[in-house]
Amino acid sequence: MTLGDLVPSLRTSLNARLEPNLWPLTARADCAGELTLAGVSVGHLAALHGTPTYLLDTEHVRDRCRRYRAALPGTEVIYAGKAFLCTGMARLVAEEGLGLDVSSAGELAVARAAGFPAERIVLHGNVKTAEDLKAATTAGVGRVVIDSTDEIDQLAALTRHRQDVLIRIAPDIDAGTHRAVTTGTADQKFGFRVADGTAADAVRRVLEQPRLRLVGLHCHLGSQISSVAPYERAAERMIGLYAELGRRHRITFDQLNLGGGHGIRYTDADRALDLAAYAERVPAALRAACAAHRVPPPRLSVEPGRAIVGGAGIALYRVAVVKRRPGGRTFVAVDGGMSDNPRPALYGSRYPVRVIGRPLRAAYRPVTVVGRHCEAGDVLAEVPLPEDIHPGDLLAVPAAGAYQYSMASNYNMVGRPPVVAVADGASHPLLRRESEADLLAREVCE
Ligand code: LLP
């Protein structure tokens, strides 16, 4: 039961309250149920661009980039493009001085189209096809993170210049993340393991290739991590490895990339990774480990994706159908769903949902917000909504900036939504809505 249920007169004033740290920086709500982003009415944006639509608060993205750079001076901040990438986003990140992690020739093509400086690009991936490696060497990307033995020879054969590389390590650290995004343990597909000697073998193979220059090691523990401790452990373990490999091969490593995975808040119950605590404790753990092992401190890199863009996004849906089942659930069906946000179906992710654009006086009752797709599992959220919710109502979902648009599909031949940047009282689309002509464009007619 909420405060609004107990004291109905409080409901309208509660409309003006946005859950702290869940909504983009420039989002504001008022008692009339209006939501604005960067001074623009979100209801107006829905009318202008249609629904479903993704809104991106670019001031929020810039603020996150700046906070990372300010908190971690001397550390390289590399944005993980898989969270959300288009040329507009790549330009923004480039302007803010971050690097860019790409994990396919496609992501690299977007980065290049945006004019992203190639030397600040890092190529990732447990599978890098010949096309991926060719595209990377042609573009002259700064670094390639080697993830398999075969890749070493392939990359060496392709590159015409001396290519800087890192080797990805599975440091055998479980950061307690959802199983589908746990990548630091030994029993998963990414990187080389230490205990079975394959990491040391990869280092030896890279050192044998005159066209490759080994600048450091990389690890990525997983995603949506809210505690600093696993990163401290990773820093210590990786420096232990630097000491051991350094002694064996008489080398030093210039860089250490500790990956991303920094958690954000999706609901009031979530805890975000504390950036200030990370910035204080992880470089300190690194320095202490370097001193203990007598190795020169490498330059640290971090690769946040979600923590840069996740909080900057709002997903907008229009209610299409409401089914009130006496004695059963109320289903509020919207015009999007698992095709634009597969996260609830994939990871059981939870989101708050807000009715916007009208005063909310009715009591809140639990409902199931579902999508338009042909599966019972197409559920976006289980939340309380006003009991007078009806078709035509506009719904806003926060924390929608990461891994929603980037994982969107055309399931049921539904076109992907537009992504609209909002800043300084104005909006401009970064990506337009996918049309039926787009959906038919790849058909090969006989
Ligand atoms: N670096 C590497 C090598 C990665 O694989 C990833 C994410 C990142 C950095 C950035 O992680 P972030 O800071 O954004 O957590 N689809 C899932 C998340 C998959 C993450 C994949 N790798 C989700 O929606 O939660």
Side-chain angles (χ1 to χ4, degrees):
M1 176 153 309
T2 67
L3 200 54
D5 290 326
L6 293 169
V7 191
S9 61
L10 274 181
R11 269 178 220 136
T12 44
S13 56
L14 284 176
N15 289 337
R17 181 188 172 271
L18 286 175
E19 301 92 332
N21 302 322
L22 283 189
W23 294 83
L25 196 62
T26 71
R28 302 284 178 273
D30 67 17
C31 294
E34 183 66 273
L35 180 70
T36 60
L37 196 61
V40 186
S41 151
V42 170
H44 170 71
L45 291 172
L48 196 63
H49 301 284
T51 51
T53 282
Y54 279 97
L55 304 178
L56 193 73
D57 181 350
T58 52
E59 205 40 53
H60 186 112
V61 175
R62 288 189 190 281
D63 180 71
R64 295 301 298 157
C65 295
R66 287 172 195 174
R67 279 176 196 270
Y68 262 89
R69 292 195 65 198
L72 290 160
T75 293
E76 191 181 358
V77 184
I78 301 167
Y79 170 64
K82 66 207 78 180
F84 169 65
L85 194 64
C86 63
T87 57
M89 182 67 191
R91 274 191 208 109
L92 231 160
V93 168
E95 281 167 21
E96 293 301 329
L98 272 57
L100 183 66
D101 143 7
V102 299
S103 45
S104 67
E107 287 183 355
L108 180 56
V110 174
R112 294 194 76 189
F116 201 98
E119 68 279 6
R120 277 157 51 192
I121 298 178
V122 180
L123 177 69
H124 270 289
N126 70 307
V127 172
K128 299 182 190 75
T129 63
E131 288 70 32
D132 295 331
L133 290 173
K134 239 176 264 165
T137 53
T138 306
V141 302
R143 281 149 293 176
V144 174
V145 180
I146 302 275
D147 196 290
S148 68
T149 307
D150 290 341
E151 204 183 308
I152 299 171
D153 296 340
Q154 281 171 22
L155 180 62
L158 273 171
T159 186
R160 291 206 188 83
H161 54 273
R162 196 152 186 240
Q163 176 68 55
D164 284 359
V165 300
L166 290 92
I167 294 174
R168 179 159 175 171
I169 303 295
D172 203 10
I173 293 172
D174 188 348
T177 47
H178 188 283
R179 198 167 164 267
V181 295
T182 295
T183 53
T185 52
D187 185 26
Q188 47 74 43
K189 68 177 182 171
F190 296 99
F192 294 91
R193 302 208 288 186
V194 179
D196 62 8
T198 49
D201 180 60
V203 168
R204 183 183 55 76
R205 285 169 190 261
V206 168
L207 291 174
E208 282 169 8
Q209 293 287 354
R211 290 258 174 99
L212 305 183
R213 190 168 84 96
L214 183 59
V215 296
L217 303 182
H218 169 280
C219 69
H220 173 72
L221 303 181
S223 220
Q224 191 57 0
I225 299 168
S226 58
S227 131
V228 176
Y231 293 104
E232 289 176 304
R233 250 181 292 145
E236 285 156 15
R237 205 161 285 183
M238 296 294 275
I239 293 304
L241 201 53
Y242 276 26
E244 188 189 322
L245 294 167
R247 267 195 308 276
R248 189 181 310 172
H249 297 287
R250 296 172 188 280
I251 52 168
T252 55
F253 296 93
D254 300 337
Q255 304 177 24
L256 172 63
N257 187 327
L258 286 183
H262 305 178
I264 66 164
R265 274 158 61 84
Y266 283 93
T267 70
D268 273 340
D270 292 334
R271 204 157 55 91
L273 182 86
D274 181 343
L275 178 58
Y278 182 101
E280 195 186 310
R281 287 166 50 188
V282 176
L286 186 65
R287 281 192 301 273
C290 288
H293 289 284
R294 295 171 189 274
V295 299
R299 184 175 191 211
L300 182 64
S301 311
V302 292
E303 286 173 340
R306 190 191 319 263
I308 297 291
V309 76
I314 293 178
L316 278 182
Y317 302 101
R318 188 76 69 181
V319 174
V321 173
V322 177
K323 287 184 184 165
R324 293 184 173 83
R325 301 252 168 88
R329 283 193 278 173
T330 295
F331 291 97
V332 175
V334 300
D335 51 4
M338 67 193 301
S339 63
D340 67 83
N341 182 8
R343 299 193 68 260
L346 284 174
Y347 320 115
S349 309
R350 302 177 67 161
Y351 293 85
V353 176
R354 191 179 179 90
V355 179
I356 61 166
R358 68 170 173 91
L360 305 173
R361 299 199 180 88
Y364 279 62
R365 300 276 175 256
V367 303
T368 303
V369 180
V370 296
R372 59 174 295 175
H373 296 283
C374 304
E375 294 195 23
D378 179 22
V379 173
L380 284 174
E382 311 254 11
V383 287
L385 285 182
E387 61 186 356
D388 63 353
I389 184 90
H390 55 77
D393 269 341
L394 201 54
L395 302 185
V397 181
Y403 303 110
Q404 293 188 196
Y405 184 84
S406 68
M407 298 206 300
S409 74
N410 291 131
Y411 187 29
N412 294 135
M413 281 292 158
V414 172
R416 284 171 292 181
V419 180
V420 178
V422 190
D424 299 327
S427 72
H428 67 274
L430 297 175
L431 294 160
R432 65 165 170 76
R433 187 180 305 283
E434 226 169 1
S435 65
E436 283 168 15
D438 291 326
L439 296 174
L440 287 164
R442 291 181 308 122
E443 293 284 341
V444 181
C445 302
E446 291 287 310

